[in-house]
Amino acid sequence: MKSWWRKWSYEIPLAIGDALWEVLVVQFAALLDRLTVRKVIALIPVAIIVLADYHRIPIPPELMLVGDFLAYIDIFSVLFLVGVLSRVTTILFIVKQAAACIARLGGSAVAHVQRRDMRHRRQRGTATRRHRKPDRSEDDRAFGGVWDQAALA
């Protein structure tokens, strides 16, 4: 008798609670994970037709057109995405060209800065060092710089 009481007062309600948890929470969450917007939109025309048939309500043509639009939502969404992608590719092309222009300007600026080395630049107006002339040979000294005069003439 005690085991019967324990089974019906404790184990069976727990088993029912576990089964309800499994169905209403776990499996419902799994269903919602698999459910997409596309599937929900595809069910709307079916629901309209079922409700109209169940209540014997004539369906107006506008509602049928909405149902057709929802049935062909894949085609409309592909056309919409192609339109958006063409704009995206144009924007990406412009961004790529702007990045190349910035890289080119940055490279030329770096090369320009490297050419103008400010650390070793001489100030204007300062006297420069005189360069030594090479020593004159014995022939030049012997004839009094005749060879220099001949070169100038």
Side-chain angles (χ1 to χ4, degrees):
M1 181 77 167
K2 199 171 192 179
S3 68
W4 180 82
W5 179 256
R6 178 176 171 82
K7 181 177 182 182
W8 282 99
S9 67
Y10 182 70
E11 293 174 4
I12 290 180
L14 285 178
I16 292 171
D18 288 345
L20 286 175
W21 178 264
E22 178 70 25
V23 170
L24 296 176
V25 176
V26 176
Q27 290 182 8
F28 184 67
L31 174 73
L32 291 179
D33 283 342
R34 290 190 310 263
L35 193 64
T36 61
V37 174
R38 181 176 172 235
K39 288 181 182 178
V40 170
I41 291 174
L43 286 177
I44 291 174
V46 173
I48 292 171
I49 292 173
V50 167
L51 286 175
D53 186 52
Y54 178 71
H55 291 293
R56 308 267 189 249
I57 302 170
I59 300 175
E62 300 87 21
L63 200 56
M64 290 302 291
L65 288 175
V66 169
D68 289 342
F69 174 75
L70 292 174
Y72 297 118
I73 194 75
D74 296 335
I75 296 169
F76 291 114
S77 64
V78 166
L79 292 176
F80 177 74
L81 287 175
V82 166
V84 168
L85 286 177
S86 66
R87 290 185 183 135
V88 167
T89 53
T90 304
I91 290 170
L92 286 177
F93 177 74
I94 291 170
V95 167
K96 187 174 87 171
Q97 281 197 339
C101 181
I102 290 170
R104 191 173 51 246
L105 286 173
S108 66
V110 168
H112 188 68
V113 167
Q114 286 176 350
R115 265 187 259 130
R116 290 183 177 243
D117 193 6
M118 297 297 195
R119 294 174 294 167
H120 302 294
R121 192 173 173 97
R122 291 193 177 134
Q123 293 179 356
R124 294 177 192 237
T126 59
T128 57
R129 260 193 297 170
R130 297 184 81 171
H131 295 289
R132 274 184 61 196
K133 292 184 180 176
D135 290 338
R136 294 181 5 179
S137 65
E138 286 182 30
D139 292 336
D140 290 338
R141 280 184 262 140
F143 295 109
V146 175
W147 299 113
D148 290 338
Q149 296 297 328
L152 291 175

